[in-house]
Amino acid sequence: GALNTNAPGGLFKRGMALTVSGPYLELVRYVKHLETALPTLRWGALELKSDQQPPELTMQVFVLGVRP
């Protein structure tokens, strides 16, 4: 789901929760790929559910921007 909030200095913060599942090493690779592809991405909570197969990772991510 998406979330918009005000940030200081006329900025806005847009957030969303992403859920992906797969083998643990693939999940790690996915997070590294996001960090490389989107260097301005900001991270919130990460939750790994490993009591199921395949494991499931839920991530909160945020993008900052300037209000038009």
Side-chain angles (χ1 to χ4, degrees), residues 32-62:
K32 285 185 167 201
H33 178 74
L34 282 179
E35 287 180 320
T36 302
L38 303 167
T40 60
L41 198 65
R42 298 295 174 255
W43 296 90
L46 278 79
E47 179 186 359
L48 178 65
K49 292 182 183 174
S50 59
D51 58 344
Q52 61 191 44
Q53 291 302 320
E56 184 178 274
L57 178 64
T58 300
M59 304 165 275
Q60 277 189 323
V61 293
F62 298 92

